[in-house]
Amino acid sequence: MGENKKDFKPYVPAEKITPEFTFTSIIMGIILAVVFGAANAYLGLRVGMTVSASIPAAVISMGVIRLIMRKDSILESNMVQTVGSAGESLAAGAIFTMPAIFLWAKEGVTESPSMVTITLISLCGGILGVLFMIPLRNALIVKEHGVLPYPEGTACAEVLLAGEEGGSSAKSVFAGMGLAALFKLIVDGFKVVPGVVTANIKALKTELSAEVYPALIGVGYICGPKIASYMLAGGLLGWFVFIPAIVTFGADTVLYPGTDTIMNIYLENGAGAIWSYYIRYIGAGMVAAGGIISLIKSMPLICSTFVDAMKGMKSSGEAGAKRTEQDINMKAVLVGVFAVILLIWLIPQIPVSLIGAILIVVFGFFFGAVSSRMVGLVGSSNNPVSGMAIATLLFSTFILKLTGDTGSHGMLGAISIGSIICIVTAMAGDTSQDLKTGYILGATPKKQQIGELFGAVVAALTIGGVLILLDKAWGFGTTELAAPQATLMKMIVEGVMNGNLPWALVFIGIFTAVVVEILGIPVLPVAIGLYLPLELSTTIMIGGIIRWFVDKKSKKANNEAGSGILFCSGMIAGEGLVGILLAILAVVGVDSKIDFSGSINLGTIGGIVLLVAMIVCVKIFAKNKNASAKEKESSEK
């Protein structure tokens, strides 16, 4: 990445015209947007993390277009992944906030959100996320080429440039989807194996557990051993430090929000109840503090990005520009932004006032620029979307309260503002990575931007159905769908509006975050590990250990396009899709017909065996890639 803008030559020259924005690419992209959007929504609601769909989408498109359709069009494949990855990003933004409205509905605070409300909020956020990124492209993607690496965007370009590798790599994605679907059916469909393997440790008044799900191993493998170990550290802090301390020292104490003595809560419901009553609030304080710390550390970057964006707007979309320099016209962008803001204010299904609409413009463009710059430096996986959403919620809830917009209407307004900003931030980051891929390959930015808008619209039309379906099947805030970020956002809004949070626990989390930051460790992964049940972090760590072992063997620690990564991406998609299928079966009442738990129950041993089988599958696919890579190297010599 050492070349600068002047030296850079795209793969497809600006003067060459090749198929790009075609019927095939748009339809394939739309299908992938729906598939990966639904899968990521399910994953994010379970574990509070989502994964990038760009690389698996690129691999699938390359496999289908090049091998099945016998077409040689790299820009067409690029358009497929551009549209497809938009669905995953919009879903990520939506699930971090909007389930809070469902939770309030169960408490009788508000009515359940309609499909129309969810769709309109998602649509506004998705469109704004793309539109805000258009004037930023020249400043960040073009002028900063060689400075901002945009790791996922660059890796995606490498996958598409690999050409002949597209077909073999696609097999890894589909194999991962198939095997994960089978594992998920065994655990949650047939229910012959428990979803969690647990060992009680009575001496410490806690327990050690691991979930038997392929997506979690996939998340750990993709994130790598470092991030996975940070999450496990947070889990161990909660379950092997805080829980034993709370039960030991507060045995006979009745501590809010609990209604019985701490010891009785532990004896009757186990360590999980102590986590639910107390550790969740400590984790909430730590996540909130981690998000704010990351914003404070990024302030110089935020300010410089905003200044650069303002300068870059003047040269964006100039008349007579080359094909590879054409953006959507700035006048159209401004009209589009103005129209969306008017809709946010005027449509009754979106509970946002004029003040809220103005806040969305300010925070949206500001955090869109920040998101683009940050994913350029550290990648989408490390983009603190939830931290920016937390900052937005704190400020907007406070402003709404000051202006007299309180109660359920004020809380709905705050979470709607937070939802739109969260989606804007996620979409801006994804659009940046896709535009980087296009810049390297020689795509037409204007066509990519239109493709992003297609993906955002399709994802917005489907995410409402996915959320309503999952809520009806299992309910948000349950063991199956913890919806950690949304629960946190709900607590923040309630805390500012009503002042009813157990602030002592929240401040324990805040100062724990400060200690972790002083030690030089990234706060957010540790905070998420503390905030989530331990069984999630344990299984994610197993995936991280496999990645460490594979990297050590291959001596390629950044093998982004390796078969292990693609296989694990497929596993996440496969489990997510079967999760949606099982949710449909649960809603229509036929899930009991495939439930064999009454006649066959393999117990803990079965869970351990299945977990080992998942580990072996990941190891085999990662190993096969390494073997083929070595053969290729030896043949080249």
Side-chain angles (χ1 to χ4, degrees):
M1 297 302 300
E3 75 262 322
N4 57 36
K5 181 199 168 188
K6 291 180 180 177
D7 300 328
F8 177 75
K9 301 288 182 189
Y11 180 74
V12 178
E15 52 275 6
K16 184 177 180 181
I17 307 295
T18 65
E20 190 170 355
F21 193 86
T22 63
F23 179 79
T24 300
S25 64
I26 295 302
I27 294 300
M28 279 186 63
I30 285 172
I31 292 169
L32 292 180
V34 173
V35 168
F36 284 110
N40 244 359
Y42 177 80
L43 177 70
L45 289 165
R46 274 185 55 76
V47 303
M49 294 177 70
T50 57
V51 294
S52 173
S54 294
I55 291 174
V59 166
I60 292 169
S61 65
M62 180 69 83
V64 173
I65 288 175
R66 181 177 288 273
L67 295 180
I68 297 175
M69 301 181 72
R70 302 293 181 184
K71 293 172 76 175
D72 186 14
S73 176
I74 194 168
L75 297 187
E76 207 171 354
S77 296
N78 177 56
M79 183 58 69
V80 174
Q81 75 83 19
T82 296
V83 178
S85 63
E88 156 262 319
S89 299
L90 187 139
I95 55 115
F96 284 168
T97 49
M98 279 197 271
I101 306 174
F102 288 89
L103 294 169
W104 278 325
K106 287 175 187 171
E107 295 171 4
V109 176
T110 64
E111 293 181 0
S112 291
S114 66
M115 177 89 78
V116 174
T117 298
I118 299 170
T119 300
L120 287 172
I121 289 174
S122 302
L123 197 58
C124 291
I127 291 172
L128 285 177
V130 178
L131 293 180
F132 284 152
M133 188 53 221
I134 292 168
L136 298 174
R137 186 191 72 85
N138 193 51
L140 297 176
I141 307 296
V142 179
K143 292 186 177 179
E144 295 287 331
H145 184 68
V147 178
L148 295 177
Y150 286 98
E152 284 95 345
T154 303
C156 202
E158 289 172 1
V159 168
L160 289 166
L161 287 168
E164 68 277 2
E165 290 185 18
S168 61
S169 299
K171 292 177 185 175
S172 297
V173 178
F174 288 120
M177 290 176 73
L179 285 168
L182 176 63
F183 291 139
K184 178 72 173 175
L185 275 173
I186 291 170
V187 177
D188 283 348
F190 306 142
K191 295 184 179 177
V192 296
V193 168
V196 181
V197 176
T198 304
N200 287 312
I201 306 171
K202 292 183 179 178
L204 284 173
K205 298 178 176 63
T206 190
E207 59 190 38
L208 178 64
S209 51
E211 287 203 1
V212 188
Y213 290 104
L216 298 178
I217 294 178
V219 169
Y221 190 96
I222 292 170
C223 290
K226 187 170 283 188
I227 296 295
S229 66
Y230 292 149
M231 286 188 68
L232 182 64
L236 293 176
L237 180 64
W239 289 75
F240 284 83
V241 179
F242 287 146
I243 287 179
I246 288 169
V247 177
T248 301
F249 297 123
D252 299 321
T253 305
V254 178
L255 181 65
Y256 179 81
T259 55
D260 199 352
T261 64
I262 290 172
M263 183 57 77
N264 283 345
I265 292 172
Y266 168 72
L267 292 174
E268 289 175 16
N269 301 295
I274 303 297
W275 170 83
S276 182
Y277 277 116
Y278 306 113
I279 305 304
R280 244 172 15 117
Y281 290 98
I282 298 174
M286 194 173 179
V287 171
I292 291 167
I293 287 169
S294 69
L295 283 180
I296 292 169
K297 288 169 69 177
S298 305
M299 279 311 292
L301 183 63
I302 289 169
C303 295
S304 63
T305 298
F306 192 77
V307 171
D308 290 343
M310 291 294 98
K311 291 177 182 176
M313 283 182 72
K314 294 179 182 178
S315 56
S316 180
E318 291 173 346
K322 294 180 183 177
R323 178 185 63 80
T324 52
E325 296 173 1
Q326 294 172 359
D327 293 302
I328 292 176
N329 186 275
M330 273 306 302
K331 289 179 182 177
V333 172
L334 291 173
V335 169
V337 170
F338 185 70
V340 172
I341 295 304
L342 273 180
L343 289 175
I344 291 171
W345 174 34
L346 297 174
I347 292 179
Q349 284 85 357
I350 303 176
V352 175
S353 62
L354 178 59
I355 293 172
I358 294 168
L359 288 173
I360 286 169
V361 176
V362 175
F363 279 109
F365 187 75
F366 198 60
F367 283 148
V370 175
S371 177
S372 178
R373 184 90 182 203
M374 292 196 80
V375 300
L377 286 169
V378 298
S380 297
S381 301
N382 300 309
N383 188 18
V385 171
S386 56
M388 294 184 222
I390 287 166
T392 302
L393 274 181
L394 284 169
F395 188 78
S396 57
T397 308
F398 185 69
I399 293 292
L400 292 176
K401 188 176 181 181
L402 283 179
T403 56
D405 191 0
T406 56
S408 60
H409 186 270
M411 293 195 295
L412 271 176
I415 210 73
S416 299
I417 294 167
S419 296
I420 294 172
I421 297 301
C422 204
I423 294 168
V424 165
T425 309
M427 285 296 296
D430 171 73
T431 303
S432 302
Q433 298 286 9
D434 292 340
L435 289 173
K436 181 66 172 186
T437 304
Y439 182 71
I440 294 169
L441 297 177
T444 309
K446 182 177 180 179
K447 291 180 180 179
Q448 275 195 289
Q449 290 153 4
I450 295 170
E452 291 280 356
L453 290 171
F454 263 95
V457 170
V458 170
L461 292 172
T462 55
I463 191 65
V466 172
L467 289 178
I468 290 170
L469 176 69
L470 292 173
D471 182 58
K472 282 185 178 177
W474 294 297
F476 300 130
T478 59
T479 306
E480 290 85 0
L481 294 172
Q485 270 90 349
T487 307
L488 171 61
M489 306 299 175
K490 172 179 174 284
M491 291 193 316
I492 288 170
V493 173
E494 289 173 346
V496 175
M497 284 287 185
N498 306 324
N500 62 353
L501 279 182
W503 288 105
L505 297 173
V506 172
F507 276 105
I508 290 172
I510 289 170
F511 285 106
T512 303
V514 172
V515 170
V516 170
E517 179 63 30
I518 290 170
L519 292 173
I521 299 168
V523 177
L524 279 175
V526 179
I528 290 170
L530 176 62
Y531 186 71
L532 292 172
L534 178 63
E535 60 256 28
L536 299 175
S537 300
T538 307
T539 309
I540 288 170
M541 188 67 229
I542 291 171
I545 291 170
I546 301 171
R547 176 68 180 272
W548 173 81
F549 186 78
V550 169
D551 285 345
K552 193 174 182 183
K553 278 270 189 181
S554 65
K555 295 180 182 177
K556 291 181 180 179
N558 292 311
N559 188 16
E560 289 293 340
S563 244
I565 296 283
L566 295 170
F567 179 77
C568 288
S569 297
M571 285 210 305
I572 290 166
E575 181 181 322
L577 293 174
V578 173
I580 299 294
L581 174 63
L582 292 176
I584 294 170
L585 296 179
V587 169
V588 298
V590 298
D591 55 322
S592 57
K593 292 184 179 179
I594 61 169
D595 184 348
F596 300 122
S597 57
S599 54
I600 306 171
N601 195 336
L602 302 177
T604 302
I605 300 296
I608 294 170
V609 169
L610 198 64
L611 201 56
V612 171
M614 294 175 196
I615 294 168
V616 170
C617 287
V618 175
K619 183 71 179 66
I620 287 171
F621 271 84
K623 187 177 179 181
N624 285 345
K625 174 66 180 180
N626 294 335
S628 62
K630 286 177 183 175
E631 288 173 13
K632 188 177 178 182
E633 285 174 14
S634 60
S635 65
E636 285 173 355
K637 289 176 184 177

